[in-house]
Structures are given as C-alpha cells and as structure tokens.
C-alpha cells in the first residue's frame, strides 16, 4: 500500500488526516512541521506528501521547495492542505513545486477522493 | 467512508486551540510592550489554525469569527495596517470570546451569542467590509455543451511537480467519451531527451453532457504548468462564463455536531500531554524490568544455593528499576508551572490599568515542573496573591515618586526547587505591610488583646487569620470574599506552606512551598511504642540523642531542649497520639528535629527503623481529618503507618504554647 507523509502542526488536523488514511489502508507517517517532514522524508521514500502551509519552524511552501531539490522526490505528488482560498497562496505553493492543493475544511471523504485521484 | 467520525478529534482540537489562544494572548501582550514582527506571525498562525480546525471539525460560528480576526491580522502582517492599542484590545477580546466558545463547545451549547456576533461585526468593520448577509454567491449558469475540444500541452516541468498527464486523461475519460490525439512534434531526438520532462501534447475531443467547470476542475492544479484551451465542440453554443470558485461549505457539519457533543461530554476526564522522550524512557525501563524478571524466573524452576549471589544481584536490579520506573511514571504527571504563570501577564495588565498603576511583571523559572494535581490547585491561591500585590502592595506612580522610587512597580513570580520541594515566590517592591493598620484591625477584630510586643513575623501571621482584610474599602479586585486564610488553607491542603516577609517601604514577599508530588513521599520510619510513624524526609533537620539534663521543663508542662544555640520545644509523639508501651525517658529514645516555615521542634520517638518511600493514602477520605497527621501508608508487612504532618504538629504546638 502506498506510503503517505502527513505534515501539519495541528495535532487534531494531522490526527484526522492520518486516521482517515490509515482506515483506508494507507501507510501513514506524521510530521509536525516542514523541517521534521524533510527529516522523515530523508529516512524513507513516500508516495505522497500532504502538507499544511502555515507551520512553525518551517512552513509548507519552503518544505516543498526543499523537497523538490531531492532527486528521489522529483515527480512525487505533494499536496498542500490550505485554508487560503486566495489564488496567491496556491500559486506560491505551485511555484515552489507542489502538485496541487486541498482546501480546508475538507471531510474524510473529500480527502480520500483526492488522495485516490493522485495515487490512481 | 462516512462512518469515520471526526468527533474523536474534537478533544485534541480543543486542547491545541486553547494552547493556541494562550500563545496568542501572550504574544499580544508582548506586542503591547513593543515586541517585534515575528509575534504578529505567531498570532496569525494561531488564529489561522483555529479557523481551519473549527471549519473542519464542524464549528462554523467559530470559523466565521476567526476568519474576521485573521483578515485583520493579515492586513497587519502585510504591513497594510499598523498594530496599535485598538487592534491589540480587539484581538484580546477575540481571544476571550473564543475561549468562551470553546467552553460552550465542550458542554454542547450553541457557540455564537450576542457578544460574539457583536465582536465579529466590529472586526469586520475594522477590516473594512461588512459581513455578507448570506454567503451565497450568485452561481453562474452552468455552461453545458454536447462536447468540448481540449488543447492540452504540458510544460516540460509538469511531471517533476507530481502531476501525471495520464491521470488527467483518465479523469477526463470518467466525464464522457474521449478521443485523444497525441502531438509528438516537440519530442526531441533521443540524445537530447530528458526522461523527467514532458514533451507531448494532446488534442482531446470530449463528448457528452459535460459542464465546463468539471473539465476546469480536472486541470485546476496544472493551469500554470500547461497551455490549455477548452472550446465547445458545437460552435453555436455561447461562450461559457469563466468558472467561479465554489463557496466551500463544511459538508456534514450539521450531522456531526450532535455526535460531537456526545463525545465531548462523555469524555471529560483530564488528560496530560507527555513528551515522547518520557515515554521512550518508560519503554526502556519496562524492557529492563522484563530482563530482570526473566533472570529471577530461573530460580522458580530450581534453586541452587550456589547461585545466591545471582539472586541478590537480580533483586538489586529489580529494586533499582522499580525505583526508576516509579520516578518516570511520576514524571509523566509533572507539568511546567509556566502553564499557570501564563495567565498572569493578562491579569497584571488589566488590573494595573484599572487601578492606574504601572506594573512590570517578571517571571522566572517557568519550566519548573510540578505534579498536575498540585498545579491545578495552586492557580487560585497564586491569582489571589498577585491581585493582592497589585491592589494593596504596589503603590500608584505618585506615591512611588513621593517615596523616591521609580513610577513602575515590579512584581516578580519565581519558581524554583529547594530540597524536595518547589518554592514559588511572589515578590513586589511596593510599600510593604502597614504594621499599624494590621495591628489596629486585629485589635478591632479581637484577634489580639494588645498591640504591644508584637514581632514583625507575628504581624505577618495576622493577615492569615480568618476574616482579616486591611483595605479601608474592599475593592472588587481582591476582596472577592476570600481572604488570605483561604489561600493558606488551599496551600496547606496541598501539603505545602505559605509565609510572608515584608519590609516597610521596600515591598513584600510571599513564599509558597509545595511538595513535588502528592502521591509518594520519602520518609523516615520511626517506632513509638507498638506504633510506627513516617516522618517526611524533607522536614527532617537532624536526629539527636539527648541526656536527661539537656531538657528543661517549663511551666505548663512543656519541655525544651537546646539545639544549635536555641531552645526548641519537644513533642512527645506517644503523648500526642496516645501510644501505649512507649519509651518515657528522654535518654532511652531519640529526638528528631523537624522544621516547617522556619520553626523547629523535636519529635520524641523510641527509635528510627529506617528510610522508606511511602505511597500516601488519604486519611480524610477513609476515616477523618486528624490534626498532626497528613495521611497513611501501607508498610511492606501489610500494617498501616501514619504520616506525620510536621507543619500541623508545629501549629498545634504553638497553639498549646499560646493557650
């Protein structure tokens, strides 16, 4: 089953995402900021990364930019979980190398639908 | 999948949001003191998380309020608006209002009320737009066609961004009939080809009753990474309007709210957040215990006396690991006192503004850890002492100037370890206790018969007497029906003590001493007749054996002995607690010198048996409160030993002396 890295500084949001994905059978690792995600991503290869934008230590956009410089993460889908409905943020994420985004609030079904869409 | 209940995450969401609000509040207060721009970011982040979470977990009223707050913060963050007192005040009110909403959410009440609606309007007005009456945007007429022609040519870097054209084509195929024609004209020669880049393009004919929005949604993520055109297949159809972003509504919010309430109310047992390192430590220890257990288990099968040394070693391991495990488990209950200190910046700010005083709050030792139970109960006494210090202790700027001090008074909260206890000090540089006023009041209340020969310590003690208040008029700030006697009782109930030191014109210091934990104490076991008592190790100064002539009898039956140059009273435990068959002659037993609040007494016992840890059981809960006894414990042989309450015994002793 696909391995997914869920990155969010909010434990409740991260918990919800991880729980939903695990219930669907995915193998999920968690990280609570961009830097922690980069560390985790270095030890194991993930098939999909779901990352919040606003986080302490390192935000999601910097994380994507950094992750895309690594050869093994070229082409790996990275989705931003964002409440920013303005296009600026989405485009900033895209410019940094994000694959797409999922706008909060989303419910477990929306999350799974999007993940299935990306992982095929 | 709808059976996944997101209500199970409400508790975590509440906890982290309340923490976020605390962080917001302290950052706002720091900004008020002229903090830097990084604070604005942290405030924004906290508001943003609460907004996202509240929308996701089904609290739209909260999301609406935080949305307005976030918009305002966004303006500040972008430099479109300067931070000023008005905004800080508004944000502090938002923090308070959200706390109220969380309270109501936990008890399942409606979140919004007149106050929150009011605040929302005010925030919106400050941001510069009114809250829309209804969130409904005029939906454009869906542009449908019998089919579409899509020209799709990804940029070379699209694959690296994680978007696979094949996935997009599959998604289109799910919408209707597809005829796909690949365009190979840009494919380079093999030697120039980079396999991680995309060189293909597609002309796609999609037939069926498909809305343009549905197609746009497929390409939503790649708009900026491809050349894309979507044209109606039938030229006669009018050009479709540009797609409008749908207004997101929290799906199923109404449905989950009910179950959320049930979950929230059925699960209100307290919880503690524990660092991973503490849990890892526990797991290590349990591992060690399992190994020791396996080692000892060998002896169950057959015991060979030649392996006695190994058995002893195993038991020594067991003792060590059990002790470490116990310390680690207790450690889980330990939380930094900072979580209690956190409320004071706001309290001090509000209070000093209200009283027209200037107060600088210093906090030291916020990381000092205390047992969760102690921590929960120490909040109110501390609040009372802080209120007291600002209300009665610190002076107005005019008075301070008159006595040659700076306009701004200092209030210091400090927590630190001393021996096996935690000490919390509340220090102000105000006027100090008003000796005359206190003595007059005490005379008036009949607490003392004469104002002569009263030491400063005794004056300090007077304010702890029930019903004592020195303020000419009881203000609504500190005079809330609780006096210093309640503060002392609360602290004593926690096994701690509180004392006061004051210098006229220089300020007052309250010192609270608290036990590290309530559950287990280190004690010395002492025999008195057929009974056994535990004396808490932290109170013990020394044990001495006295000769009969070292003891002076005084009128009224009391006994004194000389210790380190001063006379101390002796408390004979067998008399105090009525134990039979105990030693009567002072030279046949031992005197344990104990101390509390700077007072020392000698406890006369038969002999010391040894040091041991005592798991404290409440005597009050199982029997009744006994003066001089703080609890009971079960000894290894199953018998019960009482634990001496040193502070209580000393109080008993001084009352007897006074009588």
């Amino acid at each position: 089953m696909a391995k997914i890295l869920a990155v969010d500084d909010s434990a409740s949001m991260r918990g919800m995402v991880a729980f939903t994905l695990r219930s669907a059978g995915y193998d999920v690792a968690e990280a609570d900021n961009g830097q922690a995600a980069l560390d985790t991503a270095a030890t194991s290869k993930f098939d999909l990364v779901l990352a919040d934008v606003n986080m302490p230590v390192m935000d999601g956009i910097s994380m994507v930019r950094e992750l895309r410089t690594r050869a093994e993460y070229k082409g790996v889908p990275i989705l931003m979980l964002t409440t920013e409905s303005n296009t600026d943020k989405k485009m900033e994420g895209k410019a940094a190398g994000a694959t797409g985004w999922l706008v909060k609030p989303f419910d477990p079904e929306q999350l799974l639908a999007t993940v299935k869409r990306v992982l095929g | 999948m709808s059976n996944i209940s997101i209500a199970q995450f409400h508790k975590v969401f509440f906890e982290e949001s309340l923490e976020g609000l605390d962080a917001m509040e302290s950052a706002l207060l720091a900004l008020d003191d002229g903090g830097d721009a990084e604070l604005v970011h942290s405030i924004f982040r906290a508001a943003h998380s609460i907004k996202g979470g509240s929308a996701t977990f089904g609290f739209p009223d909260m999301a609406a309020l935080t949305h307005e707050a976030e918009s305002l913060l966004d303006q500040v963050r972008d430099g479109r608006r300067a931070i000023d007192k008005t905004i800080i005040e508004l944000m502090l009110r938002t923090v308070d209002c959200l706390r109220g909403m969380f309270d109501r959410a936990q008890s399942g009440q409606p979140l919004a009320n007149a106050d929150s609606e009011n605040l929302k309007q005010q925030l919106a007005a400050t941001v510069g737009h009114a809250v829309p009456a209804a969130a409904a945007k005029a939906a454009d007429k869906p542009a449908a066609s019998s089919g579409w022609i899509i020209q799709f040519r990804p940029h070379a870097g699209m694959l690296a961004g994680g978007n696979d054209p094949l996935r997009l084509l599959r998604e289109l195929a799910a919408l209707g009939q597809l005829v796909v024609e690949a365009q190979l004209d840009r494919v380079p020669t093999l030697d120039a080809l980079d396999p991680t880049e995309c060189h293909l393009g597609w002309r796609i004919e999609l037939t069926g009753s498909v809305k343009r929005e549905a197609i746009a949604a497929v390409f939503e993520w790649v708009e900026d990474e491809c050349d894309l055109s979507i044209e109606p297949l039938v030229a006669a159809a009018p050009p479709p309007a540009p797609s409008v972003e749908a207004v997101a509504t929290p799906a199923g919010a109404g449905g989950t709210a009910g179950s959320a309430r049930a979950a929230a109310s059925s699960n209100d047992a307290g919880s503690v957040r524990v660092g991973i390192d503490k849990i890892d430590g526990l797991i290590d220890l349990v591992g060690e215990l399992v190994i020791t257990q396996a080692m000892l288990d060998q002896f169950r099968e057959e015991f060979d006396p030649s392996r006695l040394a190994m058995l002893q070693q195993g038991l020594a391991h067991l003792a060590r690991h059990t002790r470490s495990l116990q310390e680690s488990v207790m450690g889980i209950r330990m939380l930094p006192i900072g979580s209690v200190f956190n409320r004071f910046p706001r309290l001090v700010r509000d209070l000093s503004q209200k009283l027209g005083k200037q107060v600088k709050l210093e906090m030291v030792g916020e990381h000092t850890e205390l047992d969760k139970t102690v921590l929960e109960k120490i909040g109110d006494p501390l609040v009372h002492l802080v209120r007291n210090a600002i209300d009665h202790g610190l002076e107005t700027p005019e008075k301070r100037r008159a006595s040659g001090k700076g306009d701004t008074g200092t209030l210091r909260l400090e927590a630190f370890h001393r021996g096996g206890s935690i000490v919390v000090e509340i220090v102000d540089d105000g006027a100090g206790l008003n000796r005359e006023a206190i003595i007059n009041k005490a005379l008036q209340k009949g607490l003392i018969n004469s104002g002569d020969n009263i030491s400063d310590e005794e004056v300090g003690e007077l304010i702890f007497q029930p019903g004592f208040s020195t303020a000419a008029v009881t203000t609504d700030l500190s005079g809330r029906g609780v006096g210093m006697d309640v503060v002392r009782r609360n602290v004593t109930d926690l096994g701690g003590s509180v004392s006061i030191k004051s210098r006229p014109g220089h300020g007052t210091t309250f010192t609270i001493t608290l036990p590290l934990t309530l559950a287990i104490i280190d004690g010395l076991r002492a025999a008195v007749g057929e009974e056994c008592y535990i004396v808490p190790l932290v109170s013990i100064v020394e044990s001495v054996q006295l000769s009969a002539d070292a003891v002076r009898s005084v009128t009224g039956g009391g006994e004194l002995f000389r210790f380190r140059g001063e006379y101390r009273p002796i408390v004979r435990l067998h008399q105090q607690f009525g134990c039979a068959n105990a030693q009567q002659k002072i030279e046949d037993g031992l005197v344990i010198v104990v101390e509390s609040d700077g007072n020392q007494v000698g406890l006369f016992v038969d002999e010391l048996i040894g040091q041991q840890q005592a798991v404290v059981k409440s005597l009050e809960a199982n029997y009744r409160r006994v003066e001089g006894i703080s609890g009971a414990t079960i000894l290894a042989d199953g018998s019960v030993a009482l634990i001496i309450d040193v502070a209580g015994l000393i109080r008993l002793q001084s009352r007897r002396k006074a009588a």
Side-chain angles (χ1 to χ4, degrees), chain B residues 450-463:
Chain B
S450 142
D452 304 329
N453 298 327
I454 293 184
S455 70
D456 284 349
E457 284 87 66
E458 282 165 327
V459 171
E461 280 301 305
L462 283 174
I463 67 166

Side-chain angles (χ1 to χ4, degrees), chain A residues 16 19-20 108, chain B residues 1-10 57 256 259-260 263:
Chain A
M16 194 269 264
F19 179 81
T20 305
Chain B
M1 279 313 303
S2 53
N3 59 348
I4 293 181
S5 162
I6 57 174
Q8 61 180 308
F9 298 104
H10 282 171
F57 296 114
T256 51
S259 53

Side-chain angles (χ1 to χ4, degrees), chain B residues 114-125:
Chain B
D115 280 349
S116 70
E117 286 303 306
N118 222 328
L119 181 62
K120 190 169 76 185
Q121 294 292 348
Q122 208 176 331
L123 283 167

Side-chain angles (χ1 to χ4, degrees), chain B residues 425-615:
Chain B
E425 285 189 344
I426 299 100
V427 187
D428 71 60
D429 66 347
L433 290 181
N434 185 340
R435 192 186 154 91
E436 295 309 309
I438 290 171
I439 290 177
N440 286 339
K441 187 83 173 187
L443 284 170
Q444 191 188 323
K445 293 252 169 186
L447 296 170
I448 47 173
N449 299 322
S450 142
D452 304 329
N453 298 327
I454 293 184
S455 70
D456 284 349
E457 284 87 66
E458 282 165 327
V459 171
E461 280 301 305
L462 283 174
I463 67 166
F464 290 109
Q465 298 299 316
F468 194 89
S469 166
T470 53
V473 182
T474 309
T475 65
D476 66 330
L477 295 171
S478 33
R480 294 199 170 184
V482 272
M484 295 298 290
D485 58 319
V486 178
V487 170
R488 171 165 275 180
R489 198 168 61 234
N490 287 347
V491 173
T492 314
D493 285 350
L494 290 171
S497 62
V498 55
S499 64
I500 179 173
K501 274 206 183 77
S502 176
R503 276 179 67 202
H506 286 86
T508 309
T509 300
F510 282 95
T511 305
I512 297 179
T513 310
L514 293 165
L516 272 175
T517 174
L518 299 177
I520 297 184
I521 61 159
D522 276 300
L524 211 54
R525 192 142 60 101
V528 182
E530 286 149 15
E531 298 295 326
C532 215
Y533 291 91
I534 306 280
V535 185
L537 216 51
V538 290
S539 334
I540 298 180
V541 181
E542 202 176 314
S543 309
V544 287
Q545 192 150 28
L546 297 176
S547 54
D549 55 2
V551 178
R552 303 281 166 84
S553 292
V554 289
T555 44
E559 288 176 297
L560 297 174
F561 71 107
R562 203 175 165 81
F563 179 71
R564 294 183 187 166
E566 285 195 50
Y567 282 99
R568 311 285 182 209
I570 291 178
V571 177
R572 288 175 177 256
L573 286 188
H574 65 92
Q575 282 177 355
Q576 181 71 43
F577 299 120
C579 307
N581 302 327
Q583 299 290 357
Q584 302 293 324
K585 291 186 190 155
I586 212 87
E587 62 270 28
D588 291 340
L590 270 177
V591 169
I592 308 172
V593 184
V594 292
E595 181 181 305
S596 167
D597 289 339
N599 299 312
Q600 294 185 344
V601 300
L603 304 179
F604 179 65
V605 301
D606 293 3
E607 60 170 334
L608 292 182
I609 302 170
Q611 190 179 330
Q612 86 162 66
Q613 287 208 309
V615 178

